[in-house]
């Protein structure tokens, strides 16, 4: 009974956080729309004959292109934030694991940049959907990336892969140039490990970490492809 | 020369002002409103051919304005602007009578293409 209450509270908390995030993402997109239109308006005016010298127009053009590039980056980030917000509190559903990996990498890119670590996703073009709690999986991928970031030295590299193997989806977080390449023990020594094990076990999968040589470490998450349970099973 | 009459509706004043200027630059007869209520009042004054309408606004929301427009004059085309990437919201707008929906921040070329499609379909100028 207590566990049910806890779960209900957790779901409500996620729903509230989701609403806050969705509002924040929406507000970001509104601001970006204003920046883009103002930027575009200036471009329109500069495009008219008789405005400044050719050199001026070139310089302004470069500034406008920079603004547009930044808008695109923020647009993409806010899109991921928005999707993340929409999933909060949704509970069990069918979800695209590739989308989750791309979002988690994008949301972690700032931390990677500050640590001077190269971080990128490698998602298979076709990937089967999974059934489960997408918020938990997203959370897990995020904390595992964060864990790898903490163990990766400057100029290191982290690749987050998502692909399918037989009847499972394999998500791998591979760090190279790691300062500490030793695999953490299964139950202790790593603050994220027990949480990760639990989340993956709930999805019927397994989580493992492998040290490859002295400077490479790989955490693998194997998640079985489950069908949506019939009403009688739910 | 008769020009296609647009009404832009968004509570973000800076956005609607900049977009209106850009569309005037592209030879559209453009008016702007910053609330749903003001939009309906503008429509009363002069019928626009196309309304570009934001979904989320304080007071009278975009969906309510869309329904009211369609009740008053179903021949007015509405392009719904949404700040959400949730495609379901766009689909709801389309079911409620919007001709198109666009996610903000939008590309002016995307908006222009949709305006031109409507002009072609309606035989406007």
């Amino acid at each position: 009974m207590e566990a049910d209450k806890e779960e209900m509270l957790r779901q409500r908390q996620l729903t509230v956080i989701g609403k806050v995030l969705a509002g924040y993402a929406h507000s970001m997109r509104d601001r970006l729309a204003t920046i883009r239109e103002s930027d575009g308006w200036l471009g329109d005016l500069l495009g008219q004959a008789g405005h400044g010298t050719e050199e001026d127009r070139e310089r302004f053009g470069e500034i406008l292109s920079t603004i547009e590039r930044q808008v695109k980056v923020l647009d993409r980030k806010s899109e991921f934030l928005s999707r993340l917000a929409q999933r909060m509190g949704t509970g069990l559903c069918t979800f695209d694991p590739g989308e989750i990996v791309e979002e988690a990498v994008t949301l972690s890119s700032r931390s990677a940049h500050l640590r001077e670590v190269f971080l990128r996703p490698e998602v298979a073009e076709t990937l089967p959907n999974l059934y489960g709690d997408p918020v938990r999986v997203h959370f897990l991928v995020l904390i595992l990336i964060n864990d790898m970031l903490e163990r990766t030295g400057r100029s290191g590299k982290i690749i987050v892969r998502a692909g399918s193997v037989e009847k499972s989806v394999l998500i791998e977080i591979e760090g190279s140039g790691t300062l500490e390449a030793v695999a953490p023990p299964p139950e202790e020594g790593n603050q994220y490990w027990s949480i990760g094990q639990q989340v993956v076990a709930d999805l019927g999968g397994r989580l493992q970490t492998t040290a490859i040589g002295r400077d490479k470490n790989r955490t693998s998450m194997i998640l079985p492809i489950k069908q949506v349970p019939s009403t009688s099973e739910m | 020369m008769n020009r296609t009459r647009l009404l832009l509706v968004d509570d973000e004043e800076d956005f609607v002002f900049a977009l209106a200027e850009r569309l005037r630059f592209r030879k559209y007869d453009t008016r702007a409103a910053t609330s749903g209520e003001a939009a309906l009042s503008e429509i009363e004054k002069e019928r626009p051919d196309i309304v570009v309408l934001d979904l989320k606004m304080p007071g009278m929301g975009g969906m309510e304005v869309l329904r009211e427009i369609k009740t008053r004059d179903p021949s007015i085309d509405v392009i719904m602007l949404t700040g959400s990437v949730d495609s379901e919201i766009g689909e709801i707008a389309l079911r409620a009578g919007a001709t198109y929906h666009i996610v903000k921040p939008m590309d002016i070329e995307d908006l222009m293409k949709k305006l031109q499609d409507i002009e072609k379909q309606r035989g406007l100028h």
Side-chain angles (χ1 to χ4, degrees):
Chain A
M1 203 63 186
E2 272 306 306
D4 286 350
K5 270 188 184 174
E6 279 291 317
E7 181 58 24
M8 201 172 73
L9 186 64
R10 194 187 76 89
Q11 285 293 333
R12 285 190 182 167
Q13 279 175 331
L14 285 176
T15 306
V16 171
I17 294 169
K19 278 187 181 169
V20 172
L21 283 181
Y24 187 71
H26 189 274
S27 178
M28 265 175 77
R29 301 182 77 78
D30 270 349
R31 303 281 98 72
L32 287 173
T34 303
I35 294 168
R36 177 171 278 171
E37 293 318 318
S38 305
D39 175 40
W41 182 22
L42 188 56
D44 288 347
L45 292 173
L46 288 169
Q48 283 179 307
H51 274 275
T53 64
E54 186 60 35
E55 196 184 340
D56 286 342
R57 279 199 292 276
E58 244 174 59
R59 280 183 186 162
F60 283 127
E62 280 171 23
I63 295 168
L64 295 176
S65 302
T66 304
I67 296 171
E68 180 55 25
R69 273 200 306 277
Q70 301 308 315
V71 167
K72 276 186 181 156
V73 170
L74 282 177
D75 180 17
R76 188 94 174 119
K77 289 195 179 202
S78 73
E79 186 183 326
F80 285 142
L81 193 62
S82 208
R83 280 195 204 151
L84 173 67
Q86 279 163 24
R87 279 201 299 267
M88 293 273 187
T90 50
L92 300 178
C93 62
T94 301
F95 62 94
D96 175 359
E99 199 175 80
I100 281 182
V101 164
E102 285 189 349
E103 279 175 35
V105 168
T106 301
L107 294 173
S108 305
S109 60
R110 177 78 183 149
S111 304
H113 175 70
L114 290 175
R115 288 169 185 271
E116 296 179 50
V117 171
F118 177 78
L119 171 68
R120 78 176 159 91
E122 273 183 13
V123 176
E125 269 183 37
T126 52
L127 210 53
N129 281 340
L130 293 174
Y131 180 79
D133 183 346
V135 178
R136 285 192 182 196
V137 176
H138 191 275
F139 174 62
L140 180 57
V141 176
L142 269 178
I143 61 174
L144 291 175
I145 292 174
N146 194 54
D147 173 45
M148 194 63 85
L149 275 171
E150 282 180 10
R151 290 190 285 135
T152 305
R154 282 187 176 190
S155 308
K157 188 164 96 173
I158 298 176
I159 308 290
V160 186
R161 295 190 186 91
S164 54
V165 278
E166 294 179 357
K167 290 178 179 169
S168 301
V169 167
L170 172 68
I171 298 173
E172 284 182 340
I173 295 125
E174 187 180 277
S176 46
T178 47
L179 296 173
E180 188 192 340
V182 182
E187 287 172 9
E188 55 185 350
N190 184 310
Q191 57 177 322
Y192 306 117
W193 198 250
S194 58
I195 305 170
Q197 290 281 25
Q198 187 58 53
V199 172
V200 175
D202 287 349
L203 287 159
R206 62 181 198 275
L207 184 67
Q208 61 193 44
T209 185
T210 322
I212 309 160
R214 291 189 63 80
D215 63 351
K216 210 179 239 188
N217 199 302
R218 185 187 296 146
T219 302
S220 310
M221 198 191 312
I222 298 146
L223 304 168
I225 301 162
K226 279 197 228 165
Q227 298 300 313
V228 179
S230 64
T231 321
S232 58
E233 289 175 70
M234 292 174 88
Chain B
M1 185 184 92
N2 285 333
R3 294 185 298 169
T4 302
R5 290 163 301 180
L6 303 183
L7 175 63
L8 309 184
V9 191
D10 197 305
D11 61 305
E12 294 290 332
E13 216 170 298
D14 292 336
F15 168 77
V16 88
F17 185 74
L19 183 58
E21 286 296 333
R22 296 193 79 189
L23 291 166
R24 283 183 197 120
F25 186 79
R26 287 163 175 75
K27 311 292 180 210
Y28 282 96
D29 177 353
T30 311
R31 287 179 294 150
T34 53
S35 71
E37 293 83 353
L40 294 177
S41 162
E42 285 293 327
I43 292 170
E44 279 296 307
K45 280 187 220 159
E46 190 187 2
R47 178 195 174 277
D49 297 306
I50 306 168
V51 177
V52 180
L53 174 65
D54 188 33
L55 179 76
K56 278 205 172 176
M57 292 185 290
M60 199 174 185
M63 203 57 87
E64 204 181 337
V65 179
L66 169 65
R67 291 197 180 105
E68 189 59 37
I69 292 171
K70 287 292 164 184
T71 307
R72 290 185 190 188
D73 186 345
S75 69
I76 296 175
D77 283 281
V78 176
I79 297 176
M80 198 63 119
L81 298 179
T82 67
S84 170
V85 292
D86 186 355
S87 57
E88 205 180 313
I89 292 173
E91 280 158 25
I92 292 169
L94 295 181
R95 280 201 297 271
T99 312
Y100 292 110
H101 88 274
I102 299 181
V103 178
K104 289 202 284 183
M106 67 203 179
D107 183 347
I108 190 85
E109 296 310 324
D110 185 24
L111 175 63
M112 289 298 296
K113 190 180 174 306
K114 288 180 168 60
L115 290 173
Q116 285 158 5
D117 281 351
I118 294 171
E119 286 175 311
K120 208 168 155 189
Q121 285 163 24
R122 297 280 185 188
L124 296 166
H125 326 299

